Amino acid sequence: MDKSAPKAIHLKDYAPPPYLIDTVDLTFDLGEEVTRVRSSLQLRANPVRLPDGAPVPLVLDGQELKLVSLAIDGRTLEPAEYAIGPESLTIFDPPAAFALEVETELKPQENTSLEGLYRTSGNFCTQCEAEGFRKITYFLDRPDVMARYRTTITADALKYPVLLSNGNLVAASKMGHDGRHTVTWEDPFAKPCYLFALVAGVLVHVEDSYVTRSGRTVTLRIYVEPGNQDKCDHAMRSLKKSMAWDENVYGLEYDLDIFMIVAVGDFNMGAMENKGLNVFNTKYILARPESATDTDFLGVEAVVAHEYFHNWTGNRVTCRDWFQLSLKEGLTVFRDQEFSSDLNSRPVKRIADVQRLRAAQFPEDSGPMAHPIRPDSYIEINNFYTTTVYEKGAEVVRMIHTLLGAEGYRKGIDLYFERHDGQAVTCDDFVAAMEDATGKDLSQFRRWYSQAGTPELDISGEYDGHGRTYRLTVRQSCPPSPGQPVKQPYHIPLALGLLDPQGADIPLRLKTEDVPKGTSRVLDVTEAEQVFEFADVPAPPVPSLLRGFSAPVKLRMSYTDDDLTFLMANDSDAFNRWEAGQTLGTRLLLGLVEDRAAGRPLELSRGFLDALDKILNDPALDHAFAAQALTLPSEGYLGQQMPVIDVDGIHEVRGFARKAIAAHLRDDLLSTYRALGGNEPFAIDAAIGRRSLKNLALGYLMSLEDAEAVELCVGQFHNAHAMTDVIAALGLLNDTHLPQRDAALARFYETWKNEPLVVDKWFSIQAMSERPETLAEVRSLLNHPAFEIRNPNKVYALIGGFAGGNAVRFHDSSGAGYEFLADQVLTLNGLNPQVASRMVKLFARWRKYDDRRQAFMRAQLERIVGAPNLSPDVFEIASKSLQ
Ligand code: ARG
Ligand code: ZN
């Protein structure tokens, strides 16, 4: 690392702020060329750090700002009294308590990072989390500085008729002689600056209201660009359901008179929970059946809930520092997952969440960027909005819920709010509240916060016919991760059941107990090796382990193929029925990858085909569940199970297995398709399951590429009403060389070219085609008039779709895919470091590939690290990947 390499920040160096800010009074003068920000702060020395007053300088954060004036208690400071650095403003000798006035200028129209104050579709918008507020004004930009805000906005009344900020509207002027108008917002709740928001522009809104359980009426508004009002129904309904759910399940009520959401087209992430003024990526608000898929609808519901839930878990109680990010994100993801489970099918949701965890978090946790859910250090905090902090963080909260039970967990949550409302706290404070409310000792459990890596459970079972006992031996281990060569044993909740030979659950009594405790129970695994002995087991059982995926671990158990088909058919735990099929499928497919490598003929096991046959023809099964159970493990998941990922082998073998399944089940797939294929009126309910099973059947049939399947597929593309069905058909055609493919893509574009979110689908479908010409097509799509490199959604669709969603083409042995990605990373680095950093992460797993591919990827990473003007965001990921 050279001298100019950005420095890491460490959790162990945390110190409370030397100064506190009680009130913030902001005035924005929004302009086309220059925006002026006047900030009046009421500051005082922090008694915790400076008990005798203020002997230390005040260092405010600030980036890319032009300082216009600076005054303390009304007196303009002399140049000798302060210093401006590239990222700070230091006031050398401030009094113990004072009013600071800072006037700065900035140019939001030149801000392509989409952090701080920026322009989107001609409007003004902010994104301050994590450290964007320092691009708006000089400030103590850290979450443990909480203040009350008053925000005044002045702007051209015609160009910016709508002026929004946090809290309640307290004043609004009519247009003056200068054509400008002014509004003032006041937020009564103290908050950290990362929750500040401002929006100004031409926006329309839909309005509704919600009466809280204590009888207060809250105005609900969703602001969108004109023309999108008709796409807000689902988001509004989701918001009201979220408000009701949080009252019922957590006893938490909304606290302001108005709750506003603004949807913008240019946004780095999914959405942001600014107090009273959530800002969303349009992708998670706009939805109509013709233009959004079922997945999109579920995404809107989940993200609206997530941001709403942050009002308590994140805003009312916030993070002391950014190492504690999982305090709010893990908890809030767990809350939105449970919300979606309560509204929809619980097992189907759990399966989807676990698939996501395995697809993204497990690889992260075993690669060069592995970090605990509470990281120890970072260079750029934006790089730590990771699937580990979010999704593994949610699993950790879920385990607490499992260990304490729903009632104990609720007691813990109640105590957490009782103690910490209005504070900025730590993950440890959260765990302590859970312990103190229930008396449960979570000291060992805390290792989930400090250790990285995915623990592995090795379980073996032994039946003793004489003693009618069944012994389970459980061993746990966790592989090393960067900076953590050795791991201490975790406290793991192991939910399990034992199935008798008829498939029924056996009552579970440990030898040390007098009476059985149910037929499904949670064991506390705490040792490196531990034995659990069950009594009164009448015959050799088949264990159903880690029910509901009770811990984010990898499980190894020596099941026979027959055990797995037995569990697929009989387990009372739906998640484990699905899991057994995935385990069997993984085993068989990996065997085929070896067969292929050894030049042996490929053949799919008869038993597996029969098991799939049973699922497809089981009328009692939920359709969505059946679709998940009939889906083979993904290429990515299969790759994770190999020491060296055989990209081509996996792709070919999985394709082969799909064809073999389709050929074996062809008639049943056809009749399933026909039975479910009616063009039914759209609804977000059981119809989602019907559509997924129907499209699963169509996918298998299309793998045969016979005339009948193609006709059904083309017919569905042309006639379907729901976007889910249109996209499913288009995605299948997209992998073929049929003449109908190009025609369908062209028609789709013509139909939807004015809907940016649908055009994103068009880009990503093409980027994910398995056809050999895909990279060339992706390159030429970069020049398509609808592609904009400054728009994150477009980048994620086209570049992300190719490099992250098309293993066989991205990892082409020529290395051309790697060069393409590195080119894009370097372009994006200068425009939007956060987006560039998300793209460079796609190289992080380079060591999992063969030597030739490793050499190519390494060369591109080195090229990136050596590039001039590298952002800390990209530098951190690229350099850590090479370590
Ligand atoms: N707190 C937001 C959420 O999870 C995420 C915003 C993160 N943005 C960022 N640029 N790091 O809902
Ligand atoms: Zn969040």
Side-chain angles (χ1 to χ4, degrees):
M1 260 195 236
D2 69 56
K3 287 190 282 336
S4 63
K7 278 209 185 53
I9 300 174
H10 297 269
L11 168 57
K12 63 173 164 41
D13 297 338
Y14 173 83
Y19 292 88
L20 298 176
I21 303 177
D22 293 317
T23 59
V24 180
D25 199 329
L26 297 169
T27 304
F28 287 81
D29 215 321
L30 301 175
E32 299 310 294
E33 296 302 321
V34 170
T35 287
R36 196 165 265 229
V37 183
R38 266 183 297 135
S39 161
S40 304
L41 311 177
Q42 202 57 55
L43 288 118
R44 65 190 153 97
N46 184 355
V48 170
R49 278 287 299 280
L50 310 170
D52 311 324
V56 304
L58 168 67
V59 183
L60 299 172
D61 305 295
Q63 271 174 24
E64 295 155 45
L65 297 172
K66 184 174 151 198
L67 182 67
V68 177
S69 70
L70 185 62
I72 284 185
D73 295 329
R75 180 182 70 82
T76 299
L77 295 193
E78 301 297 328
E81 294 178 275
Y82 64 92
I84 301 175
E87 303 200 338
S88 63
L89 166 65
T90 303
I91 298 170
F92 297 120
D93 195 14
F98 58 103
L100 181 70
E101 287 204 32
V102 191
E103 201 171 351
T104 47
E105 279 181 1
L106 52 147
K107 297 193 163 178
Q109 67 279 11
E110 291 171 13
N111 180 356
T112 58
S113 71
L114 312 189
E115 185 185 48
L117 179 64
Y118 66 93
R119 310 284 309 244
T120 166
S121 302
N123 298 329
F124 285 91
C125 172
T126 56
Q127 169 58 36
C128 294
E129 188 179 2
E131 298 179 335
F133 194 73
R134 63 187 64 187
K135 291 178 153 189
I136 296 177
T137 182
Y138 287 105
F139 203 77
L140 288 172
D141 189 355
R142 44 188 292 168
D144 54 357
V145 172
M146 297 175 79
R148 273 173 298 113
Y149 286 65
R150 185 184 161 91
T151 305
T152 299
I153 312 168
T154 300
D156 184 291
L158 297 176
K159 286 198 183 99
Y160 311 102
V162 174
L163 303 175
L164 308 176
S165 191
N166 318 83
N168 302 311
L169 184 68
V170 293
S173 79
K174 292 228 161 50
M175 181 164 78
H177 296 303
D178 56 357
R180 297 175 74 79
H181 68 150
T182 302
V183 304
T184 300
W185 292 84
E186 215 169 69
D187 182 356
F189 293 94
K191 65 169 174 288
C193 65
Y194 82 85
L195 292 173
F196 170 81
L198 175 155
V199 172
V202 179
L203 294 164
V204 293
H205 70 264
V206 296
E207 182 166 311
D208 206 330
S209 66
Y210 180 83
V211 180
T212 69
R213 64 172 184 176
S214 72
R216 285 184 312 106
T217 300
V218 180
T219 301
L220 310 177
R221 284 188 184 166
I222 300 180
Y223 288 88
V224 293
E225 285 178 35
N228 284 333
Q229 303 92 300
D230 60 341
K231 305 192 188 79
C232 301
D233 276 15
H234 180 63
M236 186 63 90
R237 250 179 281 130
S238 302
L239 174 59
K240 289 194 283 182
K241 288 179 192 167
S242 311
M243 296 178 86
W245 188 89
D246 221 10
E247 292 179 354
N248 292 333
V249 181
Y250 279 76
L252 298 171
E253 209 176 294
Y254 187 63
D255 52 10
L256 288 165
D257 301 335
I258 184 165
F259 185 82
M260 297 176 283
I261 287 177
V262 183
V264 300
D266 300 277
F267 202 74
N268 286 339
M269 315 277 282
M272 180 63 213
E273 68 266 25
N274 317 300
K275 183 78 187 190
L277 179 56
N278 288 188
V279 177
F280 273 63
N281 188 321
T282 44
K283 179 175 166 56
Y284 292 110
I285 290 295
L286 307 181
R288 280 177 63 88
E290 315 80 76
S291 55
T293 62
D294 293 340
T295 308
D296 294 332
F297 271 81
L298 294 171
V300 168
E301 184 177 271
V303 179
V304 166
H306 179 97
E307 305 310 332
Y308 174 73
F309 295 156
H310 268 315
N311 188 55
W312 279 94
T313 51
N315 301 4
R316 289 289 287 257
V317 181
T318 195
C319 302
R320 186 193 72 174
D321 55 74
W322 292 119
F323 297 101
Q324 318 296 329
L325 182 58
S326 202
L327 171 76
K328 73 177 177 80
E329 295 303 346
L331 174 55
T332 305
V333 171
F334 172 65
R335 277 152 55 68
D336 83 57
Q337 288 177 348
E338 284 299 291
F339 166 76
S340 295
S341 296
D342 285 348
L343 259 57
N344 309 298
S345 155
R346 179 164 284 270
V348 167
K349 171 68 176 159
R350 187 66 184 138
I351 290 167
D353 289 339
V354 172
Q355 278 175 321
R356 197 182 145 94
L357 189 79
R358 285 176 171 158
Q361 201 277 324
F362 280 19
E364 181 167 270
D365 224 353
S366 64
M369 280 299 295
H371 52 277
I373 66 167
R374 183 188 55 217
D376 299 312
S377 76
Y378 57 76
I379 292 176
E380 170 52 62
I381 184 56
N382 283 322
N383 283 333
F384 285 80
Y385 286 71
T386 59
T387 174
T388 296
V389 167
Y390 277 65
E391 274 83 24
K392 188 178 181 179
E395 293 298 320
V396 170
V397 177
R398 179 179 298 279
M399 287 190 285
I400 294 179
H401 184 276
T402 303
L403 289 169
L404 303 188
E407 243 177 76
Y409 172 83
R410 175 62 196 273
K411 278 189 196 149
I413 283 286
D414 290 350
L415 183 59
Y416 173 67
F417 287 118
E418 194 183 308
R419 283 182 178 171
H420 300 300
D421 187 11
Q423 299 176 8
V425 304
T426 63
C427 296
D428 214 54
D429 292 323
F430 178 77
V431 178
M434 291 289 161
E435 283 180 318
D436 295 346
T438 59
K440 178 98 181 167
D441 178 3
L442 295 173
S443 43
Q444 183 180 356
F445 185 85
R446 281 177 171 76
R447 289 179 186 152
W448 285 104
Y449 287 88
S450 58
Q451 295 187 154
T454 307
E456 296 174 9
L457 280 184
D458 268 285
I459 303 186
S460 57
E462 216 184 324
Y463 181 67
D464 169 9
H466 291 292
R468 292 167 42 103
T469 58
Y470 184 71
R471 279 166 65 92
L472 269 185
T473 305
V474 181
R475 291 183 194 85
Q476 62 159 307
S477 61
C478 182
S481 53
Q484 297 187 336
V486 179
K487 309 292 166 78
Q488 301 303 311
Y490 289 84
H491 183 173
I492 299 173
L494 174 63
L496 54 66
L498 299 177
L499 276 66
D500 73 15
Q502 284 69 51
D505 278 325
I506 299 170
L508 301 174
R509 177 168 80 83
L510 287 172
K511 265 186 103 173
T512 51
E513 297 166 348
D514 301 330
V515 287
K517 292 191 180 165
T519 54
S520 192
R521 59 185 284 179
V522 179
L523 302 179
D524 287 76
V525 173
T526 53
E527 312 283 322
E529 180 170 336
Q530 218 165 335
V531 175
F532 298 93
E533 202 161 356
F534 293 94
D536 308 328
V537 182
V542 178
S544 165
L545 302 169
L546 211 65
R547 281 185 161 170
F549 200 66
S550 61
V553 301
K554 291 179 185 168
L555 173 65
R556 275 190 298 264
M557 167 77 193
S558 52
Y559 286 121
T560 64
D561 290 2
D562 286 346
D563 290 339
L564 291 169
T565 43
F566 179 81
L567 288 170
M568 279 170 85
N570 297 299
D571 201 322
S572 62
D573 184 71
F575 178 85
N576 269 6
R577 275 208 307 283
W578 171 80
E579 179 80 330
Q582 294 294 302
T583 306
L584 183 56
T586 301
R587 183 184 290 182
L588 298 175
L589 289 170
L590 291 175
L592 291 178
V593 171
E594 278 179 34
D595 289 342
R596 175 185 175 273
R600 290 189 289 268
L602 302 184
E603 205 189 328
L604 197 60
S605 118
R606 189 71 209 202
F608 186 56
L609 290 169
D610 288 343
L612 296 182
D613 195 341
K614 268 202 203 126
I615 294 169
L616 183 60
N617 290 302
D618 182 347
L621 272 193
D622 172 68
H623 292 125
F625 178 85
Q628 283 170 321
L630 290 165
T631 301
L632 294 175
S634 69
E635 292 184 20
Y637 184 69
L638 293 168
Q640 282 179 46
Q641 318 306 315
M642 302 186 71
V644 177
I645 299 173
D646 179 356
V647 184
D648 298 318
I650 289 171
H651 184 69
E652 194 184 306
V653 154
R654 194 171 180 278
F656 160 82
R658 283 178 54 79
K659 271 191 190 154
I661 293 165
H664 183 78
L665 299 177
R666 188 170 185 279
D667 293 345
D668 295 329
L669 288 164
L670 265 176
S671 52
T672 300
Y673 181 81
R674 295 219 165 91
L676 301 173
N679 226 335
E680 57 180 326
F682 181 88
I684 283 292
D685 55 18
I688 296 183
R690 286 194 287 277
R691 279 188 288 274
S692 47
L693 188 55
K694 171 185 75 179
N695 288 318
L696 172 114
L698 184 63
Y700 273 115
L701 291 166
M702 273 296 280
S703 70
L704 300 170
E705 277 197 41
D706 63 20
E708 195 171 1
V710 173
E711 201 188 306
L712 291 175
C713 188
V714 172
Q716 176 168 318
F717 172 75
H718 285 283
N719 302 322
H721 301 315
M723 180 54 84
T724 301
D725 292 334
V726 176
I727 279 286
L730 184 62
L732 293 167
L733 291 170
N734 175 55
D735 277 338
T736 72
H737 285 89
L738 296 164
Q740 293 95 321
R741 176 210 185 241
D742 292 351
L745 283 166
R747 177 180 150 140
F748 187 85
Y749 182 73
E750 263 317 296
T751 310
W752 295 110
K753 61 185 176 196
N754 295 322
E755 296 281 355
L757 293 172
V758 187
V759 173
D760 293 344
K761 299 182 194 303
W762 182 78
F763 278 119
S764 79
I765 276 203
Q766 294 177 82
M768 294 198 291
S769 172
E770 65 176 19
R771 294 155 32 110
E773 43 283 69
T774 295
L775 175 55
E777 290 173 358
V778 169
R779 279 191 195 281
S780 75
L781 285 170
L782 285 179
N783 298 315
H784 191 279
F787 184 78
E788 294 167 64
I789 194 121
R790 284 175 165 75
N791 177 253
N793 288 357
K794 292 280 176 293
V795 172
Y796 302 149
L798 185 62
I799 302 168
F802 176 74
N806 193 347
V808 71
R809 292 302 149 218
F810 174 58
H811 291 286
D812 184 87
S813 61
S814 69
Y818 306 147
E819 189 180 356
F820 167 79
L821 179 60
D823 290 347
Q824 305 314 314
V825 167
L826 291 174
T827 305
L828 288 163
N829 174 64
L831 294 169
N832 187 328
Q834 285 185 42
V835 173
S837 157
R838 276 174 72 165
M839 292 299 108
V840 77
K841 272 191 185 177
L842 299 169
F843 279 126
R845 303 277 296 156
W846 64 282
R847 282 199 171 86
K848 287 283 288 177
Y849 296 84
D850 55 70
D851 293 345
R852 180 185 162 89
R853 289 178 169 96
Q854 279 199 27
F856 282 138
M857 278 189 267
R858 172 189 210 122
Q860 295 304 332
L861 279 170
E862 282 167 351
R863 177 182 157 217
I864 291 169
V865 173
N869 304 319
L870 208 58
S871 60
D873 310 60
V874 174
F875 171 80
E876 177 168 37
I877 305 291
S879 62
K880 286 184 175 172
S881 297
L882 284 168
Q883 268 166 28

